[in-house]
C-alpha cells in the first residue's frame, strides 16, 4: 500500500469517493459531497440543558460551500485536499467557482480515481497531463530487501512459491519497491493482483483481500466463458457449475466478498 497512513486529506477524499459509490448503488437521485481540511472546533456548545455537539470553523463552512457547488451526484475538494492527496488520487480541475465568505474566484478539484502508482497528474478536460514521472531510484539501504524480493520472484518461476511481507514506517519507499517488483513479475509472465488499502480498512475483516479475490474470481470466470464478465455472482455460479469451485468454497469466499455468499 502507499505510505499515506498519516494523510487525513487522502483518507477524507477516499471516504467521500466510497460514500458516492454507496449512494450510487442505492440509486439516490440527488446528493453532493464537499471535502475540505483544516483546524476547526469540535465539541459541545451551549448550556447543559440545551447543549449540542457541533463542528465549527472556516473549513467546515468551506466543505459545506463546496458541497453546494458540486454537481448532482458529484464531489468537490479544496485545493489543500488536492495538494496533499494528488500523489495517490487523480483529480480533475473544476471550473472557476465563487462561494460566500471567500473573495474572488478559485478552482476546486474533482476526485476521479485512485492512482495505482505515485503521480502528480491532473485530469484536465478529460486528458491526463503529460508530466513525466520521476524514475525509480532505489535507496542504497533498500538494495538488500529488493534483491531478496527479486530472488523470491525468480524462485517462483521454477515453482517454488514464496510469501513476502514488506513492513516499515511511512515514506521509506515500500510502494515503489512493490511497484518495481510487480513490473518485473509482469515481464516474467506472471499475473499480478493488487489491493491498495489504508489504515481505515483494518476495521473491516478481510477487506484488504476483497479486491484481490474479486479480480481473481472474475478473471477465472472470464477465461472459462471466453469473454470478459464483471458479475461476481454469475461468475461464482459458473465456476461451481463447472466444478472448479464447490459450495463450501462459496461460503468461504462469502466471508471476503459478501455479495457472493
Amino acid at each position: 500500500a502507499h505510505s499515506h497512513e498519516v494523510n487525513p486529506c487522502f483518507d477524507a477524499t477516499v471516504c467521500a469517493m466510497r460514500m458516492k459509490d454507496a449512494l450510487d448503488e442505492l440509486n439516490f437521485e440527488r446528493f453532493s459531497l464537499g471535502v475540505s481540511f483544516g483546524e476547526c472546533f469540535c465539541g459541545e456548545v451551549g448550556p447543559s440543558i440545551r447543549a449540542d455537539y457541533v463542528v465549527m470553523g472556516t473549513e467546515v463552512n468551506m466543505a459545506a460551500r463546496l458541497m453546494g457547488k458540486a454537481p448532482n451526484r458529484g464531489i468537490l475538494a479544496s485545493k489543500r485536499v488536492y495538494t496533499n492527496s494528488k500523489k495517490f488520487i487523480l483529480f480533475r480541475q473544476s471550473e472557476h467557482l465563487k462561494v460566500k465568505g471567500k473573495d474572488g474566484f478559485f478552482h476546486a478539484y474533482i476526485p476521479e480515481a485512485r492512482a495505482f502508482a505515485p503521480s502528480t497528474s491532473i485530469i484536465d478536460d478529460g486528458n491526463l497531463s503529460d508530466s513525466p514521472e520521476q524514475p525509480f531510484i532505489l535507496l542504497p539501504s533498500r538494495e538488500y530487501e529488493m534483491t531478496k524480493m527479486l530472488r523470491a520472484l525468480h524462485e517462483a518461476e521454477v515453482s517454488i512459491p514464496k510469501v513476502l511481507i514488506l513492513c516499515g514506517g511511512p515514506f521509506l519507499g515500500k510502494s515503489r519497491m512493490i511497484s518495481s517488483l510487480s513490473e518485473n513479475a509482469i515481464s516474467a509472465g506472471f499475473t499480478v493482483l493488487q489491493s491498495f488499502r489504508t489504515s481505515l480498512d483494518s476495521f473491516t475483516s478481510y477487506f484488504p483481500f476483497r479486491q484481490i479475490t474479486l479480480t481473481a474470481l472474475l478473471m477465472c470466470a472470464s477465461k472459462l466463458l471466453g469473454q470478459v464478465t464483471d458479475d461476481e455472482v454469475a461468475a461464482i455460479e459458473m465456476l461451481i457449475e463447472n466444478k472448479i469451485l464447490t459450495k463450501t468454497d462459496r461460503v468461504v469466499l462469502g466471508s471476503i466478498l459478501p455479495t457472493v455468499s
Side-chain angles (χ1 to χ4, degrees), residues 31-207:
F31 66 86
S32 58
L33 301 164
V35 187
S36 188
F37 174 75
E39 294 185 354
C40 60
F41 171 80
C42 179
E44 289 189 354
V45 173
S48 58
I49 60 172
R50 193 180 174 84
D52 283 326
Y53 191 84
V54 300
V55 180
M56 299 188 301
T58 303
E59 296 301 332
V60 178
N61 295 338
M62 174 57 71
R65 302 283 184 259
L66 291 173
M67 180 184 67
K69 290 291 185 178
N72 185 38
R73 303 168 73 98
I75 307 170
L76 282 181
S78 68
K79 184 174 182 179
R80 183 181 296 178
V81 170
Y82 158 72
T83 300
N84 288 282
S85 304
K86 62 184 180 181
K87 291 183 179 180
F88 314 112
I89 296 175
L90 299 179
F91 288 86
R92 177 163 52 89
Q93 197 175 66
S94 77
E95 60 185 16
H96 278 100
L97 303 175
K98 184 173 178 59
V99 299
K100 181 180 178 181
K102 187 174 178 66
D103 295 333
F105 291 86
F106 66 96
H107 286 294
Y109 298 86
I110 304 168
E112 294 283 331
R114 292 283 296 274
F116 287 93
S119 170
T120 57
S121 303
I122 303 177
I123 299 174
D124 192 7
D125 297 329
N127 297 314
L128 194 63
S129 66
D130 296 326
S131 305
E133 187 177 332
Q134 293 295 321
F136 173 46
I137 301 175
L138 187 66
L139 294 173
S141 60
R142 299 289 172 265
E143 289 180 356
Y144 172 77
E145 286 86 355
M146 194 69 214
T147 301
K148 195 171 182 179
M149 292 166 67
L150 291 174
R151 186 184 304 122
L153 175 62
H154 295 322
E155 291 176 352
E157 290 186 75
V158 293
S159 301
I160 306 176
K162 294 285 185 179
V163 176
L164 292 175
I165 301 176
L166 182 62
C167 301
F171 313 115
L172 294 179
K174 301 187 303 297
S175 299
R176 300 305 298 269
M177 291 174 67
I178 292 174
S179 177
S180 179
L181 181 66
S182 297
E183 291 172 4
N184 279 274
I186 292 171
S187 298
F190 286 90
T191 298
V192 177
L193 305 179
Q194 303 182 60
S195 178
F196 295 86
R197 299 300 164 200
T198 72
S199 56
L200 295 177
D201 299 321
S202 63
F203 296 102
T204 304
S205 298
Y206 303 112
F207 197 84

